[in-house]
């Protein structure tokens, strides 16, 4: 197998592992409290930015741990020999951008700046906002998988 095909296999496996772990971390492991609270901001009536930051940080910690376990176990099971420094860089990118997006205010601003305000609001929080959130996460996970798969 050539170096290019080996790199492609590591990328594909890292992406599959990170994507599976992301779905698990976002939908099963994240607590109801974290899901409801992580986007809170003081300017919204009765909400707390501090509570939002704490909930988002706790969610991202478990989300990132889930991705780390998946990458470690998958790398061992598949014999990928992913470099720990590359995996750490990929997880750092995933965690930081996940926190940024899940605070919600940032993606809403990007949606407004790109003319996607109506789509963002479409169908409530599990409509356009959720679709744009997931598209953002998938894009970043692709980049993170390239990083993790590079040796």
């Amino acid at each position: 197998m050539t170096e290019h095909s080996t790199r492609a296999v590591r990328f594909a496996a890292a992406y599959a592992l990170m994507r599976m772990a992301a779905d698990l971390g976002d939908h099963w492991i994240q607590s109801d409290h974290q899901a409801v609270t992580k986007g809170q901001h003081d300017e919204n009536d009765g909400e707390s930015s501090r509570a939002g930051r704490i909930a988002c940080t706790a969610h991202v910690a478990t989300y990132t741990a889930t991705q780390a376990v998946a990458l470690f176990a998958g790398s061992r099971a598949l014999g990928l020999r992913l470099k720990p420094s590359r995996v750490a860089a990929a997880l750092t990118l995933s965690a930081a951008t996940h926190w940024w997006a899940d605070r919600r205010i940032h993606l809403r601003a990007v949606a407004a700046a790109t003319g996607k305000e109506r789509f963002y609001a479409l169908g409530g929080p599990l409509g356009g906002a959720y679709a744009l959130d997931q598209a953002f996460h998938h894009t970043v996970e692709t980049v993170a998988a390239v990083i993790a798969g590079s040796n």
Side-chain angles (χ1 to χ4, degrees):
M1 197 180 273
T2 69
E3 173 56 27
H4 291 297
S5 60
T6 301
R7 194 175 329 147
V9 168
R10 285 192 307 262
F11 158 74
Y15 180 78
L17 293 164
M18 290 185 81
R19 181 84 298 270
M20 174 282 301
D23 274 345
L24 186 64
D26 253 352
H27 302 114
W28 284 100
I29 294 175
Q30 177 177 212
S31 73
D32 290 339
H33 171 76
Q34 291 164 351
V36 171
T37 309
K38 68 185 179 186
Q40 285 188 359
H41 293 277
D42 289 336
E43 60 272 2
N44 297 333
D45 190 34
E47 293 186 354
S48 163
S49 290
R50 182 175 186 276
R53 287 189 304 271
I54 291 168
C56 195
T57 300
H59 162 55
V60 170
T62 59
Y63 173 93
T64 306
T66 304
Q67 284 190 321
V69 167
L71 282 172
F72 176 76
S75 180
R76 287 189 52 94
L78 299 171
L80 297 175
R81 296 192 170 136
L82 298 177
K83 283 187 174 178
S85 62
R86 296 290 188 162
V87 170
L91 291 171
T92 299
L93 174 65
S94 180
T97 58
H98 199 91
W99 193 92
W100 181 87
D102 275 17
R103 288 292 290 134
R104 299 194 180 122
I105 195 168
H106 308 295
L107 276 185
R108 186 171 48 233
V110 172
T114 58
K116 300 273 187 216
E117 286 174 291
R118 288 178 48 186
F119 181 72
Y120 185 90
L122 182 69
L126 289 179
Y130 179 76
L132 291 173
D133 171 86
Q134 290 300 297
F136 176 80
H137 294 319
H138 288 235
T139 301
V140 172
E141 285 160 11
T142 301
V143 174
V146 169
I147 294 168
S150 299
N151 273 354

